[in-house]
């Protein structure tokens, strides 16, 4: 008996039928290919209908019956993921255009083509939806902050490795370029959400990374001075995040202005840390 495996499928709706907001019918086509190279190469096309709320599937008999359930489970999961991504895409547009407070879940649902109640099957609240929209940005920010303690920076020569410091700043500027609208939303327009005050969270995170950096350097280089005031460390972290926010907020600075300012800030900062830590 030849074993068939669902390799790929295409979802389209050239003649989507709307009887009301709760009922849609989609035409889905799938291709089944042999799993084993030695198996016959004959393709089997599967056609069926999916009724949105009733979850009624009518499957073409070309598909072997023993694969109906696993095929349906796969399709249902894929459709669920597609709906979730559509909600996120539309919610992002609404949050950016109207802010969190004035974004309507009803509007998001209407534009996504689903019932309002169905959104809550994916996101328990508007706050959860907001957090999920900004999740890619937050992951990138956390990765950038943690990269401060990468192995390449844990060297006594770090104070003279100017290019590596420049690369770190360029990475920060790349994040701003790729996520500026989301950053403005997160840093300046997240009042009333669980992400409110995210600037302070970034400062705290940066400070934790800084404390760990000093500990690691002292462990590697015993003569290294680690007697750094926690208040000073907090002030420097706060200053760095303020610089970050300034660039996010003001798009009128030219790339050259930012580059020159960042390089001068880096030279100023590194000279101070070198004097304090006495490498």
């Amino acid at each position: 008996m030849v074993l068939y495996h669902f390799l790929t499928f295409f979802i389209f709706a050239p003649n989507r039928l709307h009887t009301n907001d709760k009922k849609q019918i989609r035409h889905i086509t799938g291709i089944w290919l042999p799993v084993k190279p030695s198996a016959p190469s004959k393709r089997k096309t599967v056609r069926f209908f999916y009724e949105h709320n009733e979850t009624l599937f009518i499957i073409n008999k070309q598909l072997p019956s023993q694969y109906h359930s696993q095929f349906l489970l796969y399709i249902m999961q894929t459709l669920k993921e597609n709906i979730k991504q559509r909600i996120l895409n539309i919610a992002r547009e609404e949050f950016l255009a109207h802010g969190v407070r004035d974004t309507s879940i009803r509007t998001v649902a209407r534009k996504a083509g689903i019932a309002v109640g169905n959104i809550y099957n994916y996101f328990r609240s508007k706050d959860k939806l907001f957090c999920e929209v900004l999740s890619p940005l937050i992951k990138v920010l956390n990765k950038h902050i943690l990269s401060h303690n990468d192995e390449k920076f844990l060297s006594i020569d770090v104070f003279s490795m100017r290019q590596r410091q420049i690369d770190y700043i360029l990475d920060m500027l790349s994040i701003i370029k790729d996520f500026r609208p989301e950053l403005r939303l997160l840093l300046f327009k997240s009042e009333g959400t669980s992400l409110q005050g995210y600037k302070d969270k970034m400062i705290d995170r940066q400070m934790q990374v800084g404390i760990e950096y000093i500990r690691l350097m002292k462990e590697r280089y015993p003569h290294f001075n680690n007697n750094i005031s926690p208040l000073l460390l907090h002030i420097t972290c706060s200053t760095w995040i303020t610089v970050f926010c300034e660039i996010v907020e003001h798009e009128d600075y030219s790339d050259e202005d930012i580059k020159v300012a960042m390089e001068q800030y880096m030279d100023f900062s590194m000279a101070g840390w070198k004097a304090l830590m006495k490498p």
Side-chain angles (χ1 to χ4, degrees):
M1 181 180 68
V2 177
L3 296 178
Y4 288 91
H5 173 64
F6 180 72
L7 178 65
T8 186
F9 69 92
F10 304 93
I11 300 177
F12 57 97
N15 298 304
R16 182 177 295 180
L17 305 178
H18 290 272
T19 56
N20 53 51
D21 288 342
K22 296 183 179 179
K23 192 172 182 181
Q24 301 177 29
I25 298 179
R26 301 182 183 197
H27 183 205
I28 302 177
T29 298
I31 303 297
W32 283 69
L33 297 178
V35 173
K36 298 179 180 179
S38 59
S41 59
K42 182 180 178 181
R43 297 188 177 190
K44 294 199 173 185
T45 301
V46 182
R47 291 185 176 86
F48 64 91
F49 291 97
Y50 168 76
E51 192 171 354
H52 183 66
N53 273 1
E54 301 294 332
T55 61
L56 171 66
F57 293 85
I58 304 173
I59 304 179
N60 190 297
K61 292 181 180 179
Q62 287 178 305
L63 174 63
S65 61
Q66 63 266 36
Y67 299 111
H68 284 194
S69 60
Q70 70 180 73
F71 181 71
L72 293 180
L73 286 172
Y74 185 87
I75 290 296
M76 290 172 70
Q77 181 60 35
T78 302
L79 287 172
K80 183 177 180 181
E81 292 171 358
N82 288 344
I83 293 171
K84 181 178 181 180
Q85 190 57 53
R86 189 161 73 248
I87 293 170
L88 287 171
N89 291 342
I90 292 170
R92 174 186 178 275
E93 294 173 1
E94 292 298 305
F95 285 137
L96 291 177
H98 308 292
V100 182
R101 181 178 300 175
D102 294 329
T103 290
S104 165
I105 290 295
R106 186 174 298 276
T107 299
V108 174
R110 177 176 56 78
K111 291 186 176 182
I114 63 174
V116 174
N118 199 21
I119 284 187
Y120 295 104
N121 292 328
Y122 297 89
F123 307 98
R124 294 198 305 272
S125 64
K126 183 162 70 170
D127 182 70
K128 295 295 182 184
L129 177 57
F130 180 67
C131 291
E132 188 70 20
V133 166
L134 294 182
S135 177
L137 165 61
I138 291 173
K139 288 178 182 177
V140 169
L141 286 175
N142 287 336
K143 182 179 178 182
H144 174 71
I145 291 173
L146 289 173
S147 71
H148 179 277
N149 290 4
D150 283 353
E151 182 65 27
K152 61 185 177 182
F153 294 118
L154 295 173
S155 167
I156 201 69
D157 298 322
V158 68
F159 300 100
S160 59
M161 293 189 293
R162 195 169 190 273
Q163 186 56 50
R164 289 187 180 177
Q165 300 296 332
I166 290 175
D167 290 343
Y168 183 79
I169 290 175
L170 289 177
D171 182 57
M172 180 200 75
L173 296 178
S174 177
I175 293 171
I176 294 175
K177 182 178 180 181
D178 293 341
F179 292 96
R180 189 186 296 272
E182 290 88 348
L183 281 165
R184 286 175 171 170
L185 192 59
L186 175 63
L187 297 171
F188 312 124
K189 299 179 181 180
S190 59
E191 297 86 355
T193 75
S194 58
L195 295 177
Q196 180 176 334
Y198 201 80
K199 177 182 175 181
D200 291 334
K201 295 177 184 178
M202 289 179 68
I203 293 170
D204 291 342
R205 184 63 167 155
Q206 189 82 52
M207 186 169 177
Q208 291 170 8
V209 170
I211 291 171
E212 177 65 7
Y213 180 81
I214 292 171
R215 186 193 69 79
L216 291 171
M217 288 292 281
K218 181 67 174 180
E219 190 176 86
R220 292 190 178 199
Y221 308 100
H223 69 282
F224 191 87
N225 176 37
N226 65 340
N227 187 25
I228 306 298
S229 163
L231 176 58
L232 174 63
L233 190 58
H234 184 273
I235 290 171
T236 57
C237 291
S238 179
T239 301
W240 175 243
I241 298 302
T242 299
V243 169
F244 179 82
C245 292
E246 179 74 13
I247 298 173
V248 168
E249 187 172 15
H250 298 283
E251 206 168 355
D252 50 335
Y253 294 128
S254 70
D255 291 344
E256 184 61 24
D257 287 339
I258 295 172
K259 180 176 179 295
V260 171
M262 289 296 93
E263 289 184 0
Q264 290 178 352
Y265 178 86
M266 180 193 67
D267 291 339
F268 169 80
S269 179
M270 293 305 293
W273 285 116
K274 187 175 181 179
L276 285 172
M277 295 178 175
K278 300 177 176 63

